[in-house]
């Protein structure tokens, strides 16, 4: 049967219309896909360019950096109008946890406050070296972006010099940013330019939890020695020039964080940087400070801005092996305010000697501690005729620097009292510098001893403070002590498990916890307390850990020693020391032969020392085992005297 001609025409028209619609849809989809592909390609190109440009910019900043003064940015134009733009991009691109970290960089009350915006591509004199470097990269085809569409900005702490910057790059609609700061020797849990002595080893039960660096001395001795089964554990990346192995343990189980063999040039470059002269000359000249005695007695006026405190003292009369200066630091509540009370005395009726008279001092520092808090100084003077005079004065803004300078040499400073045990507790950010000959230790005269007799703790991590651990959806209160209940250390590692004594619903119980859970709670509690506690302790002499009766707390055990600080024992002038023929080598010493048992020396921070002694003997089974935990907060550069390696770090790299 035949169709009607009109129906066929209508059907043909409909088919043509449908085919056209389908064709248009296909073409539109293809066009959209092509556009998306082009946009994606362009976006990827922009992101690739942004990464290359931020690396080039970081290299440029390295050329503007000095270990004494930080980054020099004065020659670049200030472009404050970009501040809100940078802040919004960074914060809106961050997750909830990360956002709190970035926010701290924009808060005026934070330790590092980045508020000054500089344009690295502009200067009053015209082209900048970075501009020329990017032009050269464009000509060589290393980057493809239109240079007029590129921004390279920094957020800095100050208009001229700064220790850390937020480096921010924009290429069209792509953004890349990172924090750039100097690498310090405090960026290692352990930094030993000459390694550990020949014949000494890290053994079973010892822990280095963080990056570590072991060089060799000028005779190619030192390096790193490991001993025992299962042997020590290094939970951060380990750098060494040579390895002395006296263990059958698999090295991958010992070096959990990986390991790198250093070159001779690596060792020499870092060793050259590890000397006080590089930093202290510039810092001491620029740092405002007052003499404790002269200031308290009103002989000098108070500075306008923040200032540190110098204690200039003399050797005690009589025997040469007594402690000339005795320091303790405790916490009191004064007029309702938590206050650190720093007591400075000596061996003669509690007085130290200075300028033919005797003194004792009490310095009261309120929460949250330095920098920039008032310090009340109470000074007592005892004259040769027995008369006692008292003085008190307030230093309106204490910056946290405490200089301990002997008028002569060969002095002894003590933290704590021999044959007793206290918790020396510090609040805030401190730099303590101990040197003989009124700070001129470069003369290579006999140097000081600093003796550690008892614990040094941060207020925010006091051992009697409680923190909350959540384990299997149950919350437990745990004291902030870095040891399991059996006395073993708690490394910052998910695979390390042990029992801690917890308090839940008023009952004491033992619960199993892994190291990462414990240390995450530790850092969280520290941040919640609100004081940014840290100590840089620096000396050109020796730090000594002697055995004394205060270590005993029952008939069978001795105490673990806790030192919350970053320790630096270093030459003033390395080359001058070498030329002297028989230099006095700044050393961290442990009197392990006289210890009556084996416990741990816990350092929360960094240990960087020209030399160290053995801490214990496997044959005698005496001494202190090592337990060093890197303070993660130190990846952001500390100001002040904390010595730098000369390298810079780029942290928190982000791309959007």
């Amino acid at each position: 049967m035949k169709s009607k001609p009109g129906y066929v025409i209508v059907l043909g028209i409909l088919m043509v219309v449908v085919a056209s619609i389908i064709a248009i849809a296909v073409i539109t989809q293809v066009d959209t896909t092509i556009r998306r592909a082009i946009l994606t390609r362009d976006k990827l190109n922009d992101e690739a360019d942004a990464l290359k440009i931020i690396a080039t910019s970081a290299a440029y900043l390295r050329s503007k950096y000095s270990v004494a003064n930080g980054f020099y940015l004065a020659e670049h134009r200030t472009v404050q109008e970009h501040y809100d733009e940078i802040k919004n991009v960074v914060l809106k691109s961050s997750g909830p946890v990360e956002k709190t970290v970035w926010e701290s960089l924009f808060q005026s009350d934070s330790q590092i406050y980045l508020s000054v915006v500089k344009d690295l591509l502009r200067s009053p004199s015209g082209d900048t070296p970075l501009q020329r470097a990017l032009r050269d990269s464009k000509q060589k085809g290393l980057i493809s972006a239109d240079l007029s569409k590129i921004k390279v900005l920094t957020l800095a702490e100050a208009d001229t010099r700064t220790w850390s910057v937020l480096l921010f790059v924009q290429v069209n609609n792509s953004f890349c940013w990172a924090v750039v700061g100097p690498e310090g020797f405090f960026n290692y849990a352990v930094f030993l330019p000459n390694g550990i002595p020949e014949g000494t080893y890290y053994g079973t039960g010892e822990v280095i939890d963080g990056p570590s660096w072991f060089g060799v001395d000028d005779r190619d001795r030192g390096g790193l020695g490991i001993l025992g089964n299962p042997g020590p554990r290094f939970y951060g990346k380990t750098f060494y020039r040579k390895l002395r192995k006296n263990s059958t343990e698999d090295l991958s189980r010992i070096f959990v964080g990986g390991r790198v063999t250093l070159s001779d040039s690596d060792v020499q470059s870092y060793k050259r940087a590890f000397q006080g002269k590089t930093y202290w000359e510039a810092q001491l000249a620029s740092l405002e400070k007052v003499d404790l005695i002269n200031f308290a007695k009103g002989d000098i006026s108070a500075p306008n801005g923040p200032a540190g405190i110098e204690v200039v003292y003399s050797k005690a009369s009589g025997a040469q092996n007594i402690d000339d200066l005795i320091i303790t630091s405790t916490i009191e509540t004064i007029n309702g305010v938590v206050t650190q009370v720093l007591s400075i005395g000596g061996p003669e009726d509690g007085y130290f000697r200075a300028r033919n008279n005797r003194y004792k001092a009490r310095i009261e520092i309120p929460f949250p501690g330095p920098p920039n808090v008032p310090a009340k100084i109470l000074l007592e003077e005892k004259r040769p005729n027995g008369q006692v005079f008292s003085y008190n004065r307030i230093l309106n803004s204490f910056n946290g620097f405490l200089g301990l300078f002997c008028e002569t040499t060969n002095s002894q400073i003590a933290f704590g009292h021999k044959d007793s045990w206290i918790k020396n507790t510090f609040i805030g950010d401190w730099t303590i510098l101990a040197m003989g000959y009124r700070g001129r230790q470069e003369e290579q005269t006999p140097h000081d001893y600093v003796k550690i007799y008892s614990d040094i703790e941060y207020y925010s991590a006091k051992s009697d403070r409680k923190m909350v651990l959540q384990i299997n959806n149950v919350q437990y209160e745990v004291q902030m002590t870095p040891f399991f209940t059996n006395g073993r250390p708690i490394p910052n590692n998910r695979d390390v498990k042990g029992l801690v004594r917890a308090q839940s619903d008023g009952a004491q119980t033992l619960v199993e916890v892994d190291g990462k859970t414990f240390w995450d709670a530790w850092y969280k509690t520290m941040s919640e307390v609100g004081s940014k506690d840290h100590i840089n302790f620096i000396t050109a002499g020796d730090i000594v850990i002697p055995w004394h009766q205060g270590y005993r707390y029952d008939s069978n055990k001795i105490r673990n020693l806790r030192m919350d600080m970053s320790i630096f024992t270093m030459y003033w002038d390395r080359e001058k020391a070498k030329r002297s023929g028989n230099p006095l080598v700044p050393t961290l010493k442990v009197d392990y032969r006289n210890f009556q048992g084996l416990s741990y020396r816990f350092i929360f921070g960094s240990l960087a020392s020209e030399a160290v002694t053995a801490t214990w003997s496997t044959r005698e089974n005496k001494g202190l085992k090592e337990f060093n935990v890197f303070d993660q907060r130190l990846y952001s550069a500390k100001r002040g005297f904390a010595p730098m390696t000369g390298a810079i770090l780029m942290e928190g790299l982000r791309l959007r």
Side-chain angles (χ1 to χ4, degrees):
M1 188 171 59
K2 294 182 178 180
S3 300
K4 294 181 179 179
Y7 177 77
V8 172
I9 293 171
V10 171
L11 184 60
I13 293 171
L14 286 173
M15 291 178 67
V16 169
V17 170
V18 170
S20 299
I21 292 172
I22 293 172
I24 291 170
V26 170
I27 292 169
T28 301
Q29 181 62 39
V30 169
D31 184 60
T32 301
T33 301
I34 292 171
R35 287 177 182 272
R36 283 180 181 169
I38 292 171
L39 289 172
T40 300
R41 181 201 64 194
D42 292 344
K43 178 70 173 174
L44 290 173
N45 286 339
D46 289 346
E47 289 178 349
D49 282 343
L51 286 169
K52 294 173 187 174
I53 292 167
I54 202 169
T56 305
S57 303
Y60 168 71
L61 284 172
R62 173 67 188 87
S63 72
K64 309 303 293 179
Y65 167 71
S66 92
V67 293
N69 298 298
F71 298 104
Y72 180 70
L73 301 175
E75 63 191 34
H76 294 290
R77 286 186 180 172
T78 301
V79 284
Q80 209 60 31
E81 65 271 17
H82 292 294
Y83 178 82
D84 287 334
E85 172 192 357
I86 297 172
K87 180 178 178 180
N88 290 336
V89 169
V90 171
L91 294 183
K92 287 181 179 178
S93 304
S94 304
V97 176
E98 184 185 2
K99 186 176 181 179
T100 59
V101 178
W102 291 111
E103 280 178 336
S104 68
L105 296 175
F106 301 104
Q107 293 173 352
S108 59
D109 62 346
S110 65
Q111 186 177 355
I112 299 175
Y113 175 41
L114 304 181
S115 59
V116 179
V117 185
K118 291 281 188 175
D119 187 341
L120 296 189
L121 298 180
R122 295 167 63 195
S123 75
S125 59
D127 275 7
T128 69
L130 181 58
Q131 248 185 344
R132 294 192 290 273
L134 294 182
R135 252 198 322 264
D136 184 57
S137 295
K138 173 78 171 176
Q139 290 171 357
K140 293 178 178 178
L142 300 177
I143 59 175
S144 58
D146 181 348
L147 296 183
S148 66
K149 303 291 179 64
I150 293 174
K151 293 179 185 175
V152 183
L153 309 172
T154 64
L155 259 69
E157 297 176 82
D159 194 60
T160 55
R161 289 195 176 276
T162 183
W163 286 109
S164 296
V165 300
L166 174 63
L167 181 58
F168 184 87
V169 171
Q170 180 178 356
V171 179
N172 292 314
N173 292 315
S174 293
F175 306 91
C176 188
W177 62 92
V179 175
V180 180
E183 181 193 49
F185 294 105
F186 51 76
N187 287 130
Y188 295 90
V190 174
F191 178 88
L192 301 178
N194 299 302
I196 61 176
E198 295 284 342
T200 66
Y201 303 87
Y202 287 102
T204 297
E206 297 195 281
V207 175
I208 306 297
D209 193 349
S212 55
W213 201 101
F214 302 92
V216 291
D217 65 17
D218 295 335
R219 299 180 182 179
D220 198 38
R221 297 179 304 190
L224 172 62
I226 56 173
L227 172 76
N229 292 293
R233 291 293 181 263
F234 295 79
Y235 287 99
K237 184 169 286 188
T238 305
F239 299 82
Y240 56 76
R241 181 68 191 101
K242 62 186 289 188
L243 178 66
R244 294 177 277 111
K245 181 174 181 283
N246 191 0
S247 171
T248 59
E249 181 79 353
D250 180 2
L251 288 181
S252 65
R253 292 176 58 83
I254 290 177
F255 298 108
V256 180
R259 55 197 175 106
V260 174
T261 302
L262 297 167
S263 66
D264 289 331
S265 60
D266 291 331
V267 172
Q268 292 306 316
S269 63
Y270 273 58
K271 189 179 289 189
R272 280 193 297 269
F274 191 67
Q275 61 175 350
K277 184 178 180 180
T278 308
Y279 320 96
W280 301 339
E281 281 185 330
Q283 296 286 7
L284 280 171
S286 63
L287 185 71
E288 197 74 64
K289 48 198 175 295
V290 298
D291 179 274
L292 174 80
I293 295 172
N294 290 341
F295 180 75
K297 295 171 73 170
D299 295 339
I300 58 175
S301 58
N304 293 326
I309 297 172
E310 288 183 351
V311 181
V312 181
Y313 63 99
S314 307
K315 282 198 62 58
S317 62
Q320 295 299 303
N321 61 348
I322 60 175
D323 300 321
D324 306 310
L325 202 67
I326 299 171
I327 298 172
T328 62
S329 183
T330 55
I331 301 299
E332 297 182 18
T333 300
I334 300 175
N335 297 326
V337 178
V338 172
T339 304
Q340 177 185 340
V341 177
L342 191 75
S343 298
I344 303 174
E348 302 173 66
D349 300 325
Y351 292 86
F352 68 90
R353 285 188 171 267
R355 305 164 203 174
N356 298 318
N357 289 331
R358 292 187 290 160
Y359 299 89
K360 63 171 99 172
R362 172 185 168 107
I363 305 175
E364 298 176 359
I365 303 105
F367 182 90
N372 309 328
V373 295
K376 183 177 181 180
I377 300 173
L378 299 100
L379 181 72
E380 193 173 294
E381 177 186 26
K382 192 170 187 178
R383 295 182 180 175
N385 62 8
Q387 284 185 293
V388 176
F389 296 86
S390 297
Y391 311 89
N392 70 80
R393 199 170 179 196
I394 294 177
L395 182 63
N396 290 326
S397 184
F398 176 48
N399 64 16
F401 172 77
L402 179 65
L404 306 173
F405 299 143
C406 186
E407 288 184 313
T408 53
T409 57
N410 201 28
S411 69
Q412 291 187 183
I413 298 170
F415 276 79
H417 294 279
K418 185 178 181 180
D419 295 329
S420 66
W421 200 268
I422 69 167
K423 301 285 188 182
N424 293 289
T425 307
F426 282 76
I427 305 178
D429 193 357
W430 291 72
T431 292
I432 302 174
L433 176 63
M435 296 180 74
Y437 206 40
R438 298 203 67 172
R440 298 191 296 275
Q441 192 67 56
E442 71 272 23
E443 302 300 333
Q444 284 299 307
T445 52
H447 55 227
D448 298 288
Y449 288 97
V450 178
K451 294 189 174 181
I452 308 293
Y453 285 118
S454 48
D455 288 336
I456 297 175
E457 292 185 344
Y458 295 149
Y459 176 75
S460 56
K462 287 171 58 181
S463 56
D464 61 355
R465 188 181 298 286
K466 296 286 198 306
M467 62 180 172
V468 176
L469 293 179
Q470 183 156 331
I471 305 169
N472 298 326
N473 297 320
V474 178
Q475 288 191 339
Y476 299 93
E477 279 190 344
V478 176
Q479 285 191 331
M480 294 188 75
T481 172
F483 299 94
F484 290 125
T485 53
N486 60 5
R488 289 190 304 114
I490 306 176
N492 188 359
N493 190 280
R494 180 72 74 186
D495 298 329
V496 179
K497 297 184 185 297
L499 296 173
V500 295
R501 192 169 300 281
Q503 185 172 352
S504 180
D505 298 326
Q508 293 284 334
T509 183
L510 287 173
V511 295
E512 188 177 77
V513 62
D514 66 81
K516 185 177 186 307
T517 297
F518 178 89
W519 286 99
D520 284 351
W522 173 290
Y523 280 106
K524 182 181 178 183
T525 302
M526 290 182 76
S527 65
E528 289 172 345
V529 169
S531 59
K532 297 178 173 64
D533 305 334
H534 183 254
I535 302 171
N536 284 319
F537 195 99
I538 307 167
T539 182
D542 294 339
I543 295 180
V544 182
I545 301 173
W547 163 260
H548 63 99
Q549 293 301 317
Y551 274 97
R552 295 188 182 278
Y553 69 95
D554 66 28
S555 58
N556 299 316
K557 297 180 181 179
I558 64 171
R559 301 176 193 272
N560 295 314
L561 174 67
R562 176 169 165 180
M563 301 164 66
D564 291 357
M565 58 170 63
S566 290
I567 299 168
F568 305 92
T569 62
M570 58 199 306
Y571 286 122
W572 168 272
D573 185 333
R574 174 178 297 280
E575 291 305 312
K576 188 171 183 178
K578 286 171 63 177
R579 291 195 300 269
S580 71
N582 187 28
L584 295 159
V585 183
T587 304
L588 177 65
K589 297 180 177 179
V590 176
D591 181 22
Y592 76 88
R593 288 181 178 85
N594 291 321
F595 268 76
Q596 306 302 303
L598 196 64
S599 60
Y600 280 94
R601 181 190 71 193
F602 167 64
I603 295 176
F604 177 55
S606 299
L607 164 60
S609 182
E610 188 66 37
V612 294
T613 65
T615 53
W616 63 291
S617 164
T618 55
R619 180 174 55 83
E620 298 174 353
N621 197 34
K622 292 181 178 180
L624 293 165
K625 285 190 176 184
E626 300 249 11
F627 176 26
N628 298 305
V629 173
F630 174 68
D631 185 346
Q632 295 175 7
R633 302 171 303 161
L634 299 182
Y635 270 122
S636 295
K638 303 289 291 183
R639 312 165 197 244
F641 286 77
M644 309 294 180
T645 68
I648 64 171
L649 297 173
M650 190 159 65
E651 308 164 57
L653 182 65
R654 295 294 181 267
L655 187 65
R656 197 199 82 178

